[in-house]
Amino acid sequence: MSDTPKKGWFQRLSAGLSRSSKQMTDQVISTFVKEPLSEDHLEQLEEHLIESDLGPAASARIVERFRALRFGKTSDEREIKEALAEAVAAELSPRQAKFDPLSGDKPYVVLFVGVNGSGKTTTLGKIAADLTAKGAKVMIVAGDTFRAAAREQLKVWADRSGALFESRRDGADAAGLAFDAYTKAKAEGFDVVLIDTAGRLQNKSALMDELLKIVRVLKKVDADAPHETLLVLDATVGRNALEQEKIFGRTAYVSGVVMTKLDGTARGGVLVPVAQASDAPIKLIGVGEGIEDLQDFDAVAFSRSLVGLED
């Protein structure tokens, strides 16, 4: 993503996660500061972490790390936060990976999957704007042929970013559109092709059949396509994001996860169990409406912001 100075991103990340950090740290700090850590305190810590949506398995491991770091000692607020951030980062660092569509094959095909309302279309638009700003030749494909609003939103992003826009009438075959668009992109020397898809979960089997059909026709053009499949999840739905990951992750060959709307929830900790449940790593996170508010996932920066530490 963009080369925004890290300090500015840390500030936005901390601001975006402020509700989550307050939820997580207020009770923890009041429990531990200036008191020796006891088993009772650690049990309370585990309860607080579970309430913050980190999930029981991760919360138990974090408490064990916390015990090893701080058990039996008196600590000030900064030390408590540093220890908690270190424990959360240990959970997340193995689940971190980079999204870099300009380093692979050309045209590099990125398929976006996720439920309607997850921020999928906006995420695609932000990525398009970032790539065209770097000089890339980008094509946006409106593969959700059932939602006129999604196509209109993508057209706005295409116009704003200078990307080529490809779409078809309501109800058209999404796989056919993807095939024709990718064929055109190869012939005309595009760098990146970004393909939106439908996100209706009313009929899961039909949705997955459509996604798999898109994948099959893309492979007719290039056996390695799509080169990336990003699952976009909305942090504000909390642990429902885990169910969405389960639906898409094991069927749609997801290669990376994007967590959006982290600024709109007090439970940003849900990223931890999602990261551990998914076979794919976390690649991008979003904490606002601006293009610069979608950035590469940095486990250490996220963990420090989640507990209210600013770099």
Side-chain angles (χ1 to χ4, degrees):
M1 286 300 291
S2 73
D3 299 320
T4 305
K6 270 195 173 286
K7 185 175 181 181
W9 170 236
F10 279 130
Q11 290 170 339
R12 290 198 302 280
L13 183 59
S14 296
L17 289 172
S18 60
R19 292 174 64 191
S20 294
S21 65
K22 183 173 177 60
Q23 164 86 8
M24 179 176 291
T25 60
D26 278 1
Q27 292 174 306
V28 174
I29 297 303
S30 65
T31 300
F32 290 120
V33 170
K34 302 300 182 183
E35 293 184 29
L37 301 189
S38 67
E39 285 297 332
D40 286 343
H41 288 152
L42 291 171
E43 286 180 12
Q44 291 176 47
L45 171 61
E46 189 167 352
E47 291 174 7
H48 296 329
L49 296 177
I50 292 172
E51 289 170 2
S52 298
D53 271 2
L54 272 76
S59 296
R61 287 192 297 270
I62 289 170
V63 166
E64 286 307 307
R65 291 191 182 97
F66 204 78
R67 174 186 282 112
L69 289 166
R70 296 295 175 196
F71 189 73
K73 300 179 181 179
T74 57
S75 305
D76 62 21
E77 181 175 334
R78 178 81 184 189
E79 288 172 323
I80 293 290
K81 288 184 175 181
E82 290 279 359
L84 191 53
E86 184 177 331
V88 174
E91 292 289 313
L92 288 174
S93 291
R95 308 302 304 145
Q96 169 186 320
K98 192 171 181 62
F99 174 66
D100 189 7
L102 296 181
S103 66
D105 297 341
K106 296 184 188 305
Y108 192 89
V109 179
V110 185
L111 197 64
F112 291 79
V113 301
V115 302
N116 294 337
S118 64
K120 174 165 51 75
T121 303
T122 301
T123 296
L124 188 159
K126 289 179 179 180
I127 289 172
D130 179 70
L131 290 172
T132 56
K134 293 175 178 175
K137 188 176 182 181
V138 177
M139 176 186 289
I140 292 175
V141 183
D144 185 351
T145 57
F146 289 89
R147 291 177 63 231
R151 296 199 299 279
E152 291 165 5
Q153 187 180 5
L154 278 180
K155 181 65 165 64
V156 170
W157 276 108
D159 291 343
R160 184 186 302 175
S161 64
L164 181 69
F165 181 67
E166 294 286 333
S167 68
R168 284 187 181 167
R169 68 187 186 283
D170 283 357
D173 178 40
L177 169 61
F179 178 86
D180 290 346
Y182 187 21
T183 302
K184 179 177 180 178
K186 283 182 76 73
E188 298 184 10
F190 278 80
D191 297 304
V192 182
V193 179
L194 306 174
I195 305 176
D196 192 18
T197 63
R200 307 173 309 282
L201 283 184
Q202 294 87 343
N203 186 331
K204 298 174 189 176
S205 60
L207 172 62
M208 292 308 158
D209 287 347
E210 181 178 277
L211 287 175
L212 293 174
K213 184 178 178 184
I214 291 172
V215 170
R216 285 198 304 272
V217 301
L218 290 172
K219 289 187 180 300
K220 290 180 179 179
V221 185
D222 180 348
D224 293 328
H227 305 99
E228 183 93 66
T229 299
L230 294 179
L231 170 61
V232 183
L233 298 173
D234 174 353
T236 64
V237 303
R239 293 184 68 80
N240 283 341
L242 280 168
E243 181 61 24
Q244 293 175 23
E245 190 284 327
K246 188 183 301 182
I247 293 168
F248 285 96
R250 289 161 178 76
T251 306
Y253 306 107
V254 170
S255 59
V257 174
V258 182
M259 184 69 78
T260 67
K261 307 181 188 179
L262 282 161
D263 56 319
T265 179
R267 298 184 180 277
V270 72
L271 188 144
V272 175
V274 167
Q276 291 167 338
S278 177
D279 292 331
I282 308 294
K283 293 200 171 182
L284 299 167
I285 58 172
V287 293
E289 293 299 319
I291 293 170
E292 71 281 358
D293 293 320
L294 179 71
Q295 291 284 332
D296 295 324
F297 175 58
D298 181 321
V300 172
F302 176 87
S303 300
R304 293 180 69 80
S305 295
L306 186 64
V307 303
L309 290 169
E310 290 189 36
D311 286 35

